[in-house]
Amino acid sequence: MNWLERDQNSIWHPFTQLLNGFEHIMVEKAEGMYLHTPDGRKIMDAISSWWVNLHGHSHPKIAEAVAKQASNLEHVIFAGFTHSPAIELAEKLLSILPKNQSKIFYSDNGSTANEVALKMAFQYWYNKGEKKRKKVIAFEGAYHGDTFGAMSVGDRGPFSAPFSPYLFEVEFLPMPTAENHSELLNKFEKILHLGEVAAFIFEPLVLGSAGMKMYDASFLDQLIEMAQKVDVICIADEVFTGFGRTAKNFASDYLNHKPDILCLSKGLTGGTMALGVTSCTEAIMEAYKSTDIMKTFFHGHSFTANPIACAASIASFDLLVNEDTQSKIQEIGEWQTEFYHKISQHPKVQNARVLGTIFAMELKTESDTSYVNEVRHKLYPFFLERDILLRPLGNVIYILPPYIIKKEEIEKVYNAVEEMLETL
Ligand SMILES: *Cc1c(COP(=O)(O)O)cnc(C)c1O
């Protein structure tokens, strides 16, 4: 049997239809911008492998940190014990997180970071003896992960339809647009006014999975201000937007009113290992300081604060705050903005947008913009045939490179997009 057959015989891949045996591409090595296949192809990873990779694949500094950690302390139970990679990483993260953030809670991935945030917020009110606050506010189309709590506060669409009877109730607001501000503010005010809201959860400035939909920082600022006035806990899901994607360390850095809780993952380890972080303010912590055992936060995973993942994160952090990386992030932002200006008026393009290193545009088609838009089935292979990995969300094409992409490499991606517009 060849690799392909063995893969099909033994593995169930995520987000993949099982009928007709989808042919997965074998990757035997990855380095910098490129995925290498056994038949000698070099595919450029222009979406940072599902938005996780910051510094290129198999980065020597991260690899070295992982190897060193693995041979010294691979893992230890994190209840009753601690270790320096966890402490060092927590201190580093707190040094760049919004100043109101005071503690780091570790988990395994983006979904668990959001589960922890929601549970932290719910139990905050439970510990305070506040029984009325059960509601959560979230944005329509949001994506916070694939576990049940995360699904509950996310888009009620095709992905979550089979599970809808099992998801808890959420008040959904439309994503802010230039047109709906006053309507949205009214609705928000009305829900807040009931005094039953525990938390407001949002992807700050960019709804990633919804198709890189972007909205205004000043408007989100206003919503957070209103929510915090009535003590609603504001949760920023920065799993995607964190670590420079928006040209600042965090999307929350664009806000004057800082969230109470932040969720991080994806770029946290530079895209090397699975790790999640939920940070919170001192005020959230306070509600858990008690001799009453029932006020303990009973949440933890076997691999909480895995030392190897923390070591990868520390190495990635040091690369991220390096001046060269910081100026590269700005440079990528400039290239993306130039391309945005070049392409936005193209007759087949609508709603082109850019924020920091994130560029997105919609291909005009007969059907609506959505994940299930059929044109995706032409776009994905079109770019792959040119050895470029872009993974359009329906008819939304986005470019999200690691922070090491060279000018001539991103130009190759831009040229392919332009070629697609002329030929498809
Ligand atoms: C990817 C993503 C998640 C889920 O993270 P996983 O590590 O895939 O569980 C949550 N929130 C946002 C905004 C994301 O983009």
Side-chain angles (χ1 to χ4, degrees):
M1 265 195 289
N2 64 24
W3 284 110
L4 196 62
E5 286 163 335
R6 285 169 61 190
D7 177 86
Q8 288 181 351
N9 279 344
S10 58
I11 297 177
W12 188 338
H13 287 262
F15 291 93
T16 305
Q17 280 244 290
L18 293 183
L19 195 67
N20 303 330
F22 187 91
E23 296 189 4
H24 292 92
I25 298 169
M26 179 82 172
V27 176
E28 62 177 11
K29 181 187 165 69
E31 196 174 15
M33 285 299 302
Y34 297 96
L35 311 174
H36 298 252
T37 69
D39 53 354
R41 276 174 81 190
K42 259 178 74 184
I43 301 172
M44 198 204 305
D45 186 352
I47 56 158
S48 302
S49 276
W50 252 344
W51 325 346
V52 301
N53 192 292
L54 300 187
H55 311 295
H57 289 275
S58 308
H59 194 287
K61 285 259 162 56
I62 300 177
E64 189 193 323
V66 166
K68 214 170 137 196
Q69 189 59 47
S71 57
N72 188 53
L73 168 65
E74 90 301 355
H75 189 61
V76 63
I77 175 174
F78 206 58
F81 291 84
T82 192
H83 50 78
S84 65
I87 297 168
E88 200 184 323
L89 177 60
E91 288 173 349
K92 281 181 188 274
L93 291 174
L94 288 171
S95 76
I96 61 166
L97 278 164
K99 289 284 160 279
N100 67 343
Q101 297 300 295
S102 143
K103 293 287 182 301
I104 298 293
F105 191 98
Y106 288 108
S107 65
D108 295 351
N109 55 63
S111 304
T112 59
N114 279 284
E115 295 287 340
V116 167
L118 291 165
K119 286 177 72 173
M120 227 179 227
F122 294 161
Q123 194 180 340
Y124 171 88
W125 293 114
Y126 175 92
N127 285 1
K128 284 186 161 266
E130 171 68 81
K131 301 210 168 57
K132 259 179 73 183
R133 298 223 188 213
K134 298 228 163 61
K135 281 194 199 310
V136 185
I137 303 177
F139 285 130
E140 285 165 11
Y143 181 76
H144 298 292
D146 288 343
T147 50
F148 273 88
M151 265 198 299
S152 291
V153 293
D155 183 47
R156 301 299 173 91
F159 289 7
S160 68
F163 316 107
S164 61
Y166 313 102
L167 304 181
F168 60 74
E169 237 182 85
V170 171
E171 298 278 349
F172 284 104
L173 293 175
M175 188 195 85
T177 61
E179 294 78 39
N180 69 7
H181 278 194
S182 60
E183 183 195 339
L184 216 150
L185 283 177
N186 279 338
K187 202 172 166 194
F188 197 64
E189 181 69 57
K190 252 189 212 143
I191 302 170
L192 290 179
H193 189 72
L194 300 172
E196 296 171 1
V197 181
F200 167 39
I201 185 167
F202 49 87
E203 296 163 85
L205 311 195
V206 191
L207 273 71
S209 298
M212 300 294 163
K213 291 183 178 163
M214 298 177 186
Y215 67 98
D216 197 35
S218 63
F219 189 69
L220 178 60
D221 225 358
Q222 211 176 338
L223 294 178
I224 295 175
E225 184 181 15
M226 286 165 68
Q228 288 181 335
K229 238 180 219 153
V230 289
D231 299 324
V232 166
I233 297 172
C234 294
I235 304 170
D237 176 357
E238 296 235 23
V239 167
F240 163 54
T241 49
F243 304 105
R245 290 292 180 205
T246 67
K248 295 189 190 260
N249 284 331
F250 302 102
S252 297
D253 295 343
Y254 287 89
L255 306 169
N256 295 316
H257 297 88
K258 303 302 183 188
D260 304 288
I261 296 179
L262 276 92
C263 304
L264 308 173
S265 189
K266 292 208 163 105
L268 176 58
T269 62
T272 306
M273 299 189 60
L275 184 67
V277 151
T278 308
S279 70
C280 72
T281 60
E282 200 60 36
I284 302 276
M285 285 277 294
E286 281 301 322
Y288 289 85
K289 289 183 182 162
S290 167
T291 50
D292 180 356
I293 187 165
M294 286 306 295
K295 293 191 177 177
T296 312
F297 190 47
F298 288 112
H299 186 109
H301 301 276
S302 311
F303 287 100
T304 294
N306 174 257
I308 305 175
C310 289
S313 271
I314 292 167
S316 174
F317 182 98
D318 292 345
L319 290 168
L320 178 74
V321 297
N322 183 295
E323 259 175 51
D324 291 346
T325 311
Q326 288 298 316
S327 57
K328 194 64 202 263
I329 288 172
Q330 301 308 320
E331 199 176 22
I332 293 170
E334 286 158 24
W335 297 339
Q336 298 279 53
T337 306
E338 267 171 47
F339 185 59
Y340 157 82
H341 285 302
K342 186 172 182 198
I343 208 84
S344 57
Q345 297 308 316
H346 191 285
K348 287 191 201 158
V349 172
Q350 62 190 11
N351 301 325
R353 48 203 181 252
V354 63
L355 178 65
T357 70
I358 313 164
F359 165 86
M361 56 171 246
E362 291 164 19
L363 191 62
K364 276 188 200 165
T365 62
E366 308 262 290
S367 43
D368 289 346
T369 291
S370 88
Y371 185 84
V372 288
N373 191 305
E374 289 293 316
V375 71
R376 182 192 186 279
H377 303 302
K378 291 192 189 141
L379 294 174
Y380 184 68
F382 179 92
F383 294 112
L384 265 186
E385 278 158 24
R386 285 150 187 82
D387 286 338
I388 296 170
L389 171 57
L390 289 181
R391 202 170 187 276
L393 296 153
N395 59 325
V396 178
I397 296 167
Y398 66 91
I399 305 170
L400 187 89
Y403 306 148
I404 56 153
I405 194 167
K406 294 196 189 84
K407 181 106 203 253
E408 61 265 30
E409 289 171 324
I410 206 165
E411 266 168 5
K412 186 181 166 192
V413 182
Y414 295 154
N415 289 340
V417 172
E418 287 178 289
E419 188 195 341
M420 179 276 300
L421 288 172
E422 299 319 316
T423 56
L424 264 194

